[in-house]
Amino acid sequence: GGTFQVLSGTTDGFLSITNGTFKIIGTNSFSNPVFNVASYTIPSSGGFELSNPNATVEGQNGSVDNNGELKITDGIFNVGIVAGNSSVTNNNGTFILSGGVMNVARRFVLSNADGTFSGGTLNISSVGHASSTQASFQCSLTSDLTISGNPLITISQPNSSGTPYNDIEILNGSGIKTITGGTFLL
């Protein structure tokens, strides 16, 4: 089986990345929050890879701040459980989605980062998003973005800000944006 027992329970996370890449690979079935705090950071010298079709990283009441590498090739990766919880890749961090599913409670942001989507599914705003300054899918001027192949990016709920704002914003600037495939679904 694939049960993690940490301290006295199977629902407690255990991981804090300070350096190196933690990988969940293979085919054992399990479901666990993995990270030991609700809002966690992947540092510039660290990474996290989910490549197990039977694994689920459970969401917590917090956000992901990715400054290193977050890579999903298979399995289910959940970020957050309430509207304030987001996934932000920044500070030259890298986000790669080539398979599997990532569910984000609020918004997905690339800020001075590198994002590559070649497969899989990204579900954003599953709980909701309300911002008059940022979209549900936000890519900054300085970020590199590549969307190719067959990824599906779904905005589950529209931006409900009192001052209307976009659901998708990909800003043109010094970052290279290449979109040759994929589907955005609103």
Side-chain angles (χ1 to χ4, degrees):
T3 302
F4 286 119
Q5 176 112 2
V6 181
L7 300 175
S8 61
T10 58
T11 59
D12 296 327
F14 56 90
L15 180 65
S16 175
I17 298 173
T18 56
N19 191 26
T21 299
F22 185 85
K23 297 181 180 186
I24 297 177
I25 59 176
T27 58
N28 286 341
S29 297
F30 74 91
S31 179
N32 186 274
V34 180
F35 292 89
N36 64 351
V37 294
S39 287
Y40 51 92
T41 298
I42 298 172
S44 61
S45 62
F48 182 86
E49 179 181 335
L50 178 60
S51 295
N52 177 332
N54 302 311
T56 299
V57 175
E58 293 296 336
Q60 302 180 68
N61 188 3
S63 296
V64 176
D65 184 18
N66 174 27
N67 300 311
E69 182 179 84
L70 176 55
K71 181 178 183 179
I72 302 166
T73 65
D74 216 340
I76 300 171
F77 190 91
N78 295 302
V79 176
I81 56 174
V82 299
N85 303 154
S86 300
S87 174
V88 180
T89 299
N90 53 42
N91 300 322
N92 297 309
T94 300
F95 176 82
I96 300 167
L97 180 66
S98 61
V101 176
M102 181 176 185
N103 298 306
V104 181
R106 184 178 179 212
R107 61 189 172 96
F108 177 88
V109 177
L110 294 172
S111 178
N112 194 35
D114 184 21
T116 302
F117 298 80
S118 60
T121 301
L122 173 63
N123 297 310
I124 308 167
S125 192
S126 60
V127 174
H129 173 61
S131 174
S132 61
T133 60
Q134 288 192 320
S136 299
F137 182 93
Q138 182 82 31
C139 181
S140 74
L141 296 164
T142 56
S143 291
D144 293 337
L145 175 65
T146 303
I147 302 175
S148 63
N150 266 336
L152 174 62
I153 300 170
T154 301
I155 311 294
S156 300
Q157 298 184 43
N159 188 343
S160 62
S161 171
T163 304
Y165 201 74
N166 300 324
D167 289 308
I168 301 168
E169 185 159 282
I170 300 171
L171 299 171
N172 190 19
S174 61
I176 299 169
K177 279 62 171 189
T178 306
I179 301 174
T180 59
T183 302
F184 279 92
L185 182 61
L186 303 172

